Amino acid sequence: MNLLIINDDGIDAPGIRTLIEVLAPHHKLYVCAPHEGMSAMGHAITLKHALHVEPEEIPGVIKAYRVWGTPADCAKLALLYLFQEVPFDIVLSGINN
């Protein structure tokens, strides 16, 4: 299955890395997550500055991006632009700290 993984704790958070480690052997993983923790910002979107997106190398992941934006920014960017050609079966968020 094609899985998109996002979170609100940031791309370097232990929870997202554990989720990747567990799912990678069985699925095609794509990741788009904030550059740092953004807890309690799940519905916020960035309006007043440009979003910066940087490719990230994560073992077991087909493509990953670090985003200087909110979790909602990450989801929108991933689904509408970065991975628009990928037919995702599931979008997962977590694992929380």
Side-chain angles (χ1 to χ4, degrees):
M1 290 184 9
N2 292 320
L3 307 181
L4 172 60
I5 299 176
I6 59 175
N7 75 352
D8 66 354
D9 291 325
I11 199 161
D12 295 316
I16 198 170
R17 297 303 173 124
T18 299
L19 191 58
I20 291 165
E21 185 179 313
V22 169
L23 295 172
H26 311 288
H27 303 284
K28 295 176 184 170
L29 304 183
Y30 299 80
V31 175
C32 190
H35 78 289
E36 65 181 358
M38 293 275 176
S39 291
M41 303 253 325
H43 293 284
I45 57 172
T46 301
L47 296 174
K48 298 194 178 212
H49 61 82
L51 295 172
H52 177 73
V53 179
E54 193 172 284
E56 184 81 14
E57 292 291 325
I58 302 174
V61 173
I62 293 173
K63 272 191 176 178
Y65 291 95
R66 177 184 297 266
V67 177
W68 276 255
T70 68
D73 293 332
C74 293
K76 287 174 66 174
L77 282 170
L79 293 170
L80 299 176
Y81 301 104
L82 300 173
F83 306 125
Q84 66 183 353
E85 77 286 353
V86 180
F88 288 110
D89 297 296
I90 298 175
V91 177
L92 298 171
S93 181
I95 302 169
N96 279 338
N97 290 335

